Amino acid sequence: MADPLWVPEHQIVDPSGSAVASPRVKASPLDKVKAEPRAPKEWVRRLRELWPVSDQMQWLQPRMFPESIDKASGYPIRGSARWVIYTMTPAALVQEADPTWVEMLDENPWWLMSPEKQFGRMMHVTTYQYAMWREYRCLARPYWCVQGDEGGTPMKYSLREKAVLKAENLPTDVPNPGDLPFATLDERVIRVLAERDKFRQLGGALDRLRNKDKAVADIKAEEAEAETVFRTEFVKWFKARMEPNAEFIGTHLRKSENGGDFRPATAAEANAADQWEDHYIATGRVPAVLPES
């Protein structure tokens, strides 16, 4: 583990035994990270049972964002505190995927750089990422926001997930943090994270199939079967997650600022979507024209 990049204020004791305050140390952005609330130990234990800390495999880390401060009043905004789950990718995997990340994370943090470089680096590597890199030698990326009644929502969809959602005529934009009421850490979060991890593994298996040093003909059947499993399971999972949020989506559709980007489906469109779903799951191809209702 690397040495910390900041030194907190502390007390020293002189030879006579009296406590003497140490000289004030200039605050660092990392002080805010250190001051963030920690997840309950029991909940962390459950998380570690499924995703143990590793230097060979990706694992998950919870982070609490404290309540935001209202600029006008200076008081915390009630209900704005939220938990976000991060993926932690070990250095060896980061190095293999993109060595540039390792170079940036091993350099000085943005606040110790020259002023003209600070903003650019801060946009690439956050304070939290520097903290996690030095504590665990892992690249931290936001993965899951704990909000709503079903254990949370993704911070982003993978390219494969977006392709499935687009083919299903479903929203490809994730809910923003705060679109649904922020929730507490509980077994619902563990359950839905475990379910989604299945799709991450399926997606990884598909990528490995394509990268195998084998003839295309040898893997075509295996790949087609894996793709069908992924499409079927992901659509089922997505609809189960989104169904309880239908009231929220309906409210959004009625907002004046919606501007027509979203609207309820017609009966014909709903019937066509059912046929489209069957066609896409079976073939992996989106029909050029919606089937007739």
Side-chain angles (χ1 to χ4, degrees):
M1 186 182 303
D3 293 333
L5 296 179
W6 86 106
V7 180
E9 295 183 73
H10 57 283
Q11 296 280 333
I12 60 175
V13 179
D14 67 14
S16 68
S18 301
V20 179
S22 66
R24 174 173 286 275
V25 179
K26 185 177 181 179
S28 156
L30 285 176
D31 290 319
K32 288 186 177 181
V33 173
K34 277 290 186 181
E36 290 175 358
R38 301 302 182 199
K41 290 183 179 179
E42 179 61 22
W43 202 86
V44 173
R45 183 188 66 77
R46 287 285 292 118
L47 200 66
R48 296 287 179 264
E49 287 176 356
L50 296 173
W51 298 279
V53 175
S54 170
D55 60 1
Q56 299 296 322
M57 299 178 61
Q58 198 174 69
W59 48 283
L60 300 179
Q61 173 82 343
R63 180 190 182 190
M64 162 60 85
F65 285 81
E67 289 183 324
S68 304
I69 303 298
D70 181 74
K71 293 182 179 179
S73 66
Y75 289 104
I77 300 175
R78 197 170 185 179
S80 61
R82 62 189 183 275
W83 288 101
V84 173
I85 311 299
Y86 280 67
T87 55
M88 303 288 281
T89 307
L93 300 182
V94 178
Q95 177 69 39
E96 181 180 342
D98 188 352
T100 305
W101 268 106
V102 177
E103 294 174 10
M104 291 191 295
L105 289 161
D106 277 338
E107 289 179 352
N108 281 337
W110 62 265
W111 61 91
L112 295 181
M113 291 184 165
S114 57
E116 65 272 13
K117 294 182 178 180
Q118 288 186 0
F119 183 78
R121 179 52 54 88
M122 183 170 52
M123 293 296 98
H124 282 90
V125 182
T126 67
T127 304
Y128 186 75
Q129 287 175 320
Y130 273 114
M132 294 298 98
W133 184 256
R134 275 151 182 78
E135 185 170 355
Y136 296 106
R137 196 74 180 166
C138 288
L139 172 59
R141 285 187 170 120
Y143 174 64
W144 195 259
C145 183
V146 182
Q147 63 175 352
D149 298 329
E150 290 298 307
T153 57
M155 293 296 288
K156 64 183 296 187
Y157 293 124
S158 69
L159 292 177
R160 181 173 284 108
E161 289 169 346
K162 279 190 173 183
V164 173
L165 293 174
K166 184 176 181 180
E168 289 291 316
N169 203 26
L170 294 168
T172 56
D173 292 329
V174 296
N176 292 318
D179 280 351
L180 302 171
F182 294 126
T184 57
L185 299 173
D186 56 27
E187 281 298 317
R188 289 175 300 180
V189 181
I190 293 289
R191 183 187 72 249
V192 74
L193 284 173
E195 289 173 355
R196 190 157 193 259
D197 198 48
K198 176 174 62 177
F199 304 120
R200 293 173 60 197
Q201 293 172 9
L202 283 171
L206 286 168
D207 291 336
R208 286 191 294 276
L209 275 174
R210 293 190 174 96
N211 290 331
K212 282 182 179 177
D213 186 19
K214 296 172 64 177
V216 174
D218 293 336
I219 67 171
K220 183 178 291 186
E222 188 178 0
E223 182 179 286
E225 182 180 358
E227 283 279 12
T228 300
V229 171
F230 181 88
R231 291 192 295 267
T232 303
E233 292 300 318
F234 181 73
V235 168
K236 187 190 305 180
W237 175 87
F238 177 87
K239 289 183 175 179
R241 298 283 74 74
M242 293 297 107
E243 185 176 357
N245 300 326
E247 183 178 349
F248 161 77
I249 295 172
T251 300
H252 178 76
L253 294 175
R254 293 190 291 273
K255 285 184 178 178
S256 58
E257 63 268 27
N258 179 17
D261 293 331
F262 299 94
R263 60 175 176 76
T266 64
E269 288 171 336
N271 291 334
D274 288 339
Q275 297 176 47
W276 194 354
E277 177 179 328
D278 294 338
H279 182 276
Y280 176 73
I281 287 177
T283 67
R285 294 189 299 274
V286 179
V289 181
L290 279 172
E292 294 294 332
S293 60

